[in-house]
Amino acid sequence: MQFTSDNAGPVHPKVMEALHRANEAYAAPYGADDIMTRVTAKIRDIFEAPKAAVYLVPLGTAANSLILATFAKPWDTIFCHQTAHIQQDECNAPEFYTGGAKLTLVGGSDGKMDPEALRNAIEAEEVRGVHGPQRGPVSITQATEKGTVYSFEDLTALCDVAKHFGVRTHMDGARFSNALVHLDCTPAEMTWKAGIDAVSFGGTKNGLMGVEAVIFFDPSSAWEFELRRKRAAQLISKHRYLSAQMEAYLADDLWLDLASSSNLAARGLARGLEQSSMAHLHHAPEANMLFADLPRKAHQHLHAKGANYYLWGGRLQGDDPDERLTARFVTDWAASEDNTETFLAHLREV
């Protein structure tokens, strides 16, 4: 009954096998390995972007921060949603890697930036001359930290606002695959065709040991990114172990299969919660993350039975057993129907 995070899930066996094969011989370091050559070609093909610059780093925080550092000067501000991962969960890493660029938080329901709110936020900057921050890039989290997914129309509207002001757009795609499966579109449609300039194409949350792809659709930013990656200690010497993971991930659409499995598990969990007389879902499942309100006594019983998930802004212990507390549930590719049913059976016991 593991619903804390898709980071807690196992590495897929095919990825482990690929790592073993990569370990059998010598290979050029620092991304010059033959596997990386194949990975670059595959990603360019998948994204329909033959000139894209493609890099691998081991961490999502590094992928996001280094892209934003490439796009933003120290005196710029980066526009993102109030609940964006770069705001809530990266310990000011974007500010650190950019050399001081700040974040401007933009409102919008269900974790998604509102285009008009974005327009207003951008218009409010570059009005104080040398005394205020300058307009920097827009960062979009897809899927969002609320488990919702921007539609193609949503993305296009945000990118149109950014382009109107001449700023670039970054997509934090830690759960890119989950969003793509939900939208049933192509990677190109969810990125550069909508107006995205660069994407962190995530794998760690979807069955990899630890690797994220950085994709610049305009390769003019490539050299600066390479220098920043090296300076940030994110250029891995035995790079083939990153390349091997990504190659296995992309082979035979494994990345899509894994995302489909985790999304399906979330829908199964959501159905069970909806059938409960106690649970209230914040929204229908769109990716592999759910938020639901349950009374404290339900949370206490579920945790006592061994369920693992996070409470969002509440405490398990308290005087009122009927106080409703929000839970976040995240499913991963290895989530089983049996474990979900065990969880729901314990919920029914309450």
Side-chain angles (χ1 to χ4, degrees):
M1 297 185 290
Q2 178 60 256
F3 304 108
T4 55
S5 173
D6 34 17
N7 287 324
V11 176
H12 193 275
K14 289 185 178 179
V15 176
M16 297 299 288
E17 291 167 8
L19 285 167
H20 179 73
R21 289 194 299 272
N23 198 48
E24 291 175 348
Y26 286 76
Y30 302 114
D33 53 280
D34 292 339
I35 308 174
M36 184 59 193
T37 301
R38 297 194 297 267
V39 165
T40 299
K42 183 68 172 178
I43 287 179
R44 287 172 172 170
D45 180 60
I46 288 173
F47 281 83
E48 304 171 50
K51 295 182 180 180
V54 179
Y55 302 100
L56 301 180
V57 293
L59 303 170
T61 296
N64 290 333
S65 300
L66 290 172
I67 291 174
L68 292 171
T70 303
F71 283 174
K73 298 179 178 65
W75 45 84
D76 288 344
T77 186
I78 299 161
F79 301 93
C80 65
H81 191 267
Q82 296 161 337
T83 62
H85 198 272
I86 62 170
Q87 157 65 11
Q88 291 194 334
D89 295 294
E90 292 187 346
C91 194
N92 296 3
E95 293 91 328
F96 174 78
Y97 280 102
T98 58
K102 62 175 287 188
L103 303 183
T104 293
L105 306 184
V106 180
S109 60
D110 296 326
K112 297 192 286 187
M113 275 191 293
D114 176 76
E116 192 58 31
L118 176 62
R119 179 181 298 276
N120 292 338
I122 297 177
E123 283 181 341
E125 301 301 351
E126 285 193 13
V127 296
R128 297 184 296 282
V130 73
H131 303 289
Q134 305 302 293
R135 295 166 180 164
V138 174
S139 181
I140 303 170
T141 309
Q142 177 78 324
T144 74
E145 293 299 298
K146 294 294 186 180
T148 54
V149 173
Y150 288 96
S151 68
F152 178 77
E153 292 75 19
D154 293 334
L155 294 171
T156 302
L158 292 171
C159 291
D160 284 348
V161 172
K163 284 183 172 24
H164 174 77
F165 291 98
V167 300
R168 288 180 285 188
T169 50
H170 155 254
M171 177 177 283
D172 175 356
R175 295 185 175 93
F176 183 97
S177 307
N178 302 97
L180 189 79
V181 166
H182 173 74
L183 292 180
D184 191 24
C185 66
T186 68
E189 289 170 336
M190 204 170 80
T191 53
W192 64 266
K193 287 186 177 181
I196 298 295
D197 293 298
V199 60
S200 307
F201 174 48
T204 307
K205 296 181 185 297
N206 196 34
L208 299 189
M209 181 175 289
V211 61
E212 317 285 308
V214 168
I215 305 167
F216 289 96
F217 298 107
D218 179 356
S220 64
S221 299
W223 179 237
E224 180 178 345
F225 178 86
E226 290 187 33
L227 295 172
R228 289 185 176 279
R229 179 177 60 161
K230 175 63 177 180
R231 182 174 180 267
Q234 294 296 320
L235 177 57
I236 305 303
S237 56
K238 293 191 175 180
H239 190 282
R240 68 184 184 273
Y241 298 106
L242 301 184
S243 307
Q245 293 179 65
M246 187 57 70
E247 184 173 48
Y249 189 54
L250 300 175
D252 301 320
D253 290 337
L254 178 63
W255 62 292
L256 296 175
D257 293 341
L258 298 181
S260 296
S261 295
S262 55
N263 283 13
L264 182 63
R267 291 198 297 272
L269 178 61
R271 282 194 300 271
L273 289 169
E274 286 175 328
Q275 292 167 4
S276 164
S277 60
M278 290 176 291
H280 169 70
L281 287 176
H282 288 198
H283 51 75
E286 295 184 353
N288 63 323
M289 185 189 301
L290 301 171
F291 288 83
D293 296 334
L294 290 159
R296 177 178 279 112
K297 61 186 177 184
H299 292 300
Q300 290 174 336
H301 181 73
L302 290 166
H303 278 80
K305 292 294 185 179
N308 294 282
Y309 59 90
Y310 291 127
L311 292 181
W312 226 244
R315 297 180 62 182
L316 188 62
Q317 303 305 320
D319 295 331
D320 184 359
D322 294 315
E323 181 184 357
R324 301 186 72 79
L325 307 175
T326 298
R328 188 192 79 164
F329 302 100
V330 184
T331 55
D332 74 296
W333 70 269
S336 72
E337 292 183 11
D338 287 345
N339 282 345
T340 299
E341 180 50 41
T342 299
F343 174 86
L344 295 172
H346 289 312
L347 179 60
R348 287 191 290 271
E349 292 168 0
V350 181

